Structure formats: structure tokens, C-alpha cells
Amino acid sequence: MDRWELIIIGGGVAGLTAGIYGSRSGLKTLVLEENIPGGQAAVAPIIENYPGFPYGISGMELVDRMLRQAERMGVKIHQFEGVIRLDLHGDEKIVETEKTAYRAEAIIIASGSHHRRLGVPGEEELQGRGVSYCAVCDGPLFKGKRVAVIGGGNSAAVSAIYLSNLASNVKLIHRRDQLRAEKVLLDNLRERNVEIIWNTLVKEIKGKSRVEKIILLNNETGEISELNVDGVFIQVGEEPNSKFAEEAGVRVDEKGYIIVDARQRTNIEGVFAAGDVTACPIKQIGTAVGQAIIAATEAFGYIKRPYYYKG
Ligand code: NAP
């Protein structure tokens, strides 16, 4: 079995940052990524709040820079190698993937999150045929068409703004009378002429071979209506990719997010977690980077036990 000092599960912003710090501190470091590196940040149209980029940077460009930096530091990255099982009981941790198994002295779980489903009829059947969870990936397919974005958070607002450059008509549909998205995004939405439909739930997505319309319920008046659209972008939050960790005994909260202390330690010695998979309530690239730096620094201390390390 291949032996590593540090294995990082997930190659998004948190995983790449942990890799940079782990490798730079001299640890033999492996990042396992079930897809291609980059995670959710890679599909952010524009990132305006990560320090150092006064005019913003695309998610793709930012993660590409992080990836090149990690590789330059000597991090080994295995893409398309998802983790299916962990054995965390012994001093050596065993990480089983779809391809093989590895031993590690410490691991950092940075497996991120996935898009929450709306859970309405038509959503699953029409996915890829008008139903999308990623504006950057699928937006260009809706050039000159009518789209609806569902949700009231930052992701929904950013998606609606991005789509307003492509689609002929963008409606943002939210179940409340106010958004939780940041004010700067709200101002931007207004400027972009995105119409917001308040207090409204999507009850069904309809269409024969592609999305044709959505059925809406106004939760104040009880009125049911139809809206003709070509695309539906669902942005109703995230759920953590933590099942494999929970099954191995890592403690999670009631929503499945991994519980960590201020040093990014989980309940199991030698197992750390960082980024969107953790219970940190602020899901930002900056917080993922910060958590990953702490996790990798703590993992180094745990493995090498320098004189100043407080175990
Ligand atoms: P979020 O902040 O959790 O917002 C999810 C939105 O979807 C909420 O408005 C919620 O409504 C709504 N929602 C949830 N379930 C629903 C359902 N079944 N039907 C209808 N609406 C539903 O999620 P997010 O926008 O994906 O963002 C995730 C995290 O990433 C957040 O921490 C966010 O700040 C961060 N993020 C940051 C940026 C940025 O800084 N530029 C960009 C993207 C994401 P309620 O409001 O009623 O709960």
C-alpha cells in the first residue's frame, strides 16, 4: 500500500491550499480529487471579494493559479480518484479509493459540498435538458432565451447577474420578501434589470423533452401561476460531501457538516477538516483558505511533533 505522510481528500480551494502548506512544510503530500481540481470555486463567474484582486478574478483563473502553485510545491494530485472508505482507527489512517488504497499519518478532509436539490416533480427528469445547477457551465446554452433562477442567496444572485449577460430575460424567484445575498449583489441585480419574483415557490418543472414552463405558488396569496421559461437554474444552497467521513466515525452536525475545533481537528486524532465540508457558517474562498492553512499546519505538528507543538 502506497504510504504518504499527509493525504488531503478533495482538490478544491481548501484542498489545494492545504496541499501547498503541507508540501511546503516538507510533508509527502497527496491530494485525492474525485473530479478535476478546482471544486465549486472553479465555476464562480467572478470573484470580487478575495483579497489581492482589485478588479475581481474568475473562479477558473483563481483555482488554476492555486493548482499550479500546489504542483510547483511538489504536491501530488490524483484526479478522478474518489474516496469511498476510510479506516481511521489505527495510528495509520487507511484511505480507500475507487482505484486503490493508501496509508497516511494524517488526513485532511476537504471534500466540499454539492448543490442541494429543489425536490420538485420534473427536476430530475429535465436535468441537463433545461434544469441546471451551474450558470457558468450551462449559461451559454441559454443565449437569447428566458431563464429563471431559484434561490435567494449569494449563489442565486451571482448566477442571475451572470445570466443577465446572456439570456433575453432573467427572473429570480425567491420564497421570501427579501434576499440573503450581499447588498452589492442586490444593487447589481437592480442595475441588470433582473426581475425578482418574491414570496414564491416552484412547485413543478414541466416540459416534454426540454423545460417549457414552471408552476409557481405565491406563498402569501396562495395563487398558482405558470411561467414560460427555457431554463431553470437551481441555487438553493449546498449540502456537505461528508458521508464517507461520517461512516468512518468523524463527528458531524445535524446537517452533516464536519465538526472541528479552532485548530481544525475533528473528533479523531490525526484527522483534520477544512472548507465547505465543515460546520464553519461562513462559506467563502477566504475562510476555506484560512481553515486549510490551519489544518495543514496542525497536521504538520501532529506528524512531526516539533518542540513547539502543543499536542
Ligand atoms: P445559501 O446562502 O444557503 O442560500 C440558499 C438560498 O436558497 C436561500 O435564500 C434559501 O432561502 C433558498 N432555499 C433553500 N431551500 C429552498 C427550497 N427548497 N426552495 C426554495 N428556496 C430554497 O446558499 P448559496 O447561495 O448556495 O451559498 C452557499 C454559501 O456560499 C453561502 O455561505 C454563501 O455566502 C457562499 N457564497 C458566497 C459567494 C460570494 O461571496 N460572492 C458566492 C456564492 C456563494 P431562505 O433565505 O428562505 O433560507
Side-chain angles (χ1 to χ4, degrees), residues 44 46-49 115-119 150-158 173-176 178-182 185 200-202 235-238 276 281-285:
I46 180 90
I47 295 161
E48 289 182 323
N49 52 5
H115 297 297
R116 181 180 292 135
R117 301 287 186 259
L118 202 49
I150 321 301
N154 281 333
S155 299
V158 168
I173 299 173
H174 184 37
R175 63 184 178 183
R176 290 181 197 274
Q178 53 184 303
L179 302 179
R180 67 167 72 195
E182 293 158 4
L185 296 174
T200 297
L201 290 166
V202 175
Q235 297 287 321
V236 294
E238 304 291 325
D276 285 2
I282 312 299
K283 311 283 186 215
Q284 295 283 309
I285 292 173

Side-chain angles (χ1 to χ4, degrees), residues 260-266 272-273 291 294-295 298-299 309-311:
V260 288
D261 67 9
R263 294 163 65 184
Q264 301 305 129
R265 297 178 298 188
T266 69
F272 305 83
Q291 286 187 308
I294 296 170
E298 287 291 335
Y309 177 66
K310 292 186 178 55

Side-chain angles (χ1 to χ4, degrees), residues 21-46:
Y21 273 72
S23 203
R24 195 164 177 273
S25 67
L27 296 175
K28 188 184 173 206
T29 303
L30 172 67
V31 171
L32 294 168
E33 165 57 50
E34 68 175 352
N35 210 301
I36 54 167
Q40 302 236 29
V43 293
I46 180 90

Side-chain angles (χ1 to χ4, degrees), residues 10-296:
V13 158
L16 293 175
T17 304
I20 291 166
Y21 273 72
S23 203
R24 195 164 177 273
S25 67
L27 296 175
K28 188 184 173 206
T29 303
L30 172 67
V31 171
L32 294 168
E33 165 57 50
E34 68 175 352
N35 210 301
I36 54 167
Q40 302 236 29
V43 293
I46 180 90
I47 295 161
E48 289 182 323
N49 52 5
Y50 189 66
F53 300 94
Y55 304 104
I57 182 167
S58 78
M60 183 68 85
E61 169 73 12
L62 183 63
V63 298
D64 184 57
R65 289 180 186 212
M66 289 184 182
L67 178 61
R68 282 187 279 139
Q69 192 174 0
E71 285 172 337
R72 217 191 110 231
M73 294 292 168
V75 182
K76 185 79 182 157
I77 298 170
H78 289 186
Q79 56 182 8
F80 299 114
E81 191 171 346
V83 171
I84 49 176
R85 208 166 296 111
L86 298 173
D87 183 347
L88 307 174
H89 292 106
D91 276 347
E92 273 200 321
K93 316 299 175 196
I94 296 173
V95 180
E96 223 180 291
T97 72
E98 294 141 342
K99 295 181 179 163
T100 185
Y102 305 92
R103 288 179 188 280
E105 291 180 46
I107 68 168
I108 297 174
I109 303 168
S111 45
S113 60
H114 59 269
H115 297 297
R116 181 180 292 135
R117 301 287 186 259
L118 202 49
V120 298
E123 180 179 14
E124 213 181 306
E125 299 84 322
L126 293 166
Q127 191 177 334
R129 291 187 286 142
V131 172
S132 170
Y133 300 85
C134 176
V136 168
C137 321
D138 301 326
L141 303 171
F142 295 87
K143 211 165 178 191
K145 298 191 173 171
R146 302 155 302 174
V147 300
V149 179
I150 321 301
N154 281 333
S155 299
V158 168
S159 297
I161 292 163
Y162 178 75
L163 289 164
S164 69
N165 291 321
L166 296 163
S168 61
N169 185 282
V170 182
K171 292 196 164 54
L172 180 63
I173 299 173
H174 184 37
R175 63 184 178 183
R176 290 181 197 274
D177 60 1
Q178 53 184 303
L179 302 179
R180 67 167 72 195
E182 293 158 4
K183 187 183 173 298
V184 64
L185 296 174
L186 296 182
D187 295 344
N188 211 331
L189 280 172
R190 279 188 206 108
E191 280 166 25
R192 299 300 178 108
N193 208 13
V194 171
E195 184 191 339
I196 305 179
I197 302 182
W198 302 104
N199 297 310
T200 297
L201 290 166
V202 175
K203 298 304 283 180
E204 190 174 349
I205 303 170
K206 285 185 147 182
K208 284 199 186 79
S209 57
R210 292 196 58 79
V211 168
E212 290 167 18
K213 59 178 142 185
I214 49 181
I215 309 299
L216 305 177
L217 167 71
N218 182 309
N219 59 20
E220 280 211 313
T221 62
E223 187 194 341
I224 302 267
S225 60
E226 286 186 3
L227 180 70
N228 292 330
V229 287
D230 305 295
V232 185
F233 287 82
I234 298 171
Q235 297 287 321
V236 294
E238 304 291 325
E239 287 171 354
N241 299 324
S242 59
K243 195 159 169 275
F244 66 96
E246 189 181 359
E247 284 170 356
V250 175
R251 201 178 300 139
V252 298
D253 70 8
E254 68 290 350
K255 290 181 179 159
Y257 290 98
I258 295 176
I259 297 168
V260 288
D261 67 9
R263 294 163 65 184
Q264 301 305 129
R265 297 178 298 188
T266 69
N267 59 309
I268 300 178
E269 267 214 347
V271 179
F272 305 83
D276 285 2
V277 75
T278 72
C280 171
I282 312 299
K283 311 283 186 215
Q284 295 283 309
I285 292 173
T287 51
V289 164
Q291 286 187 308
I293 293 169
I294 296 170

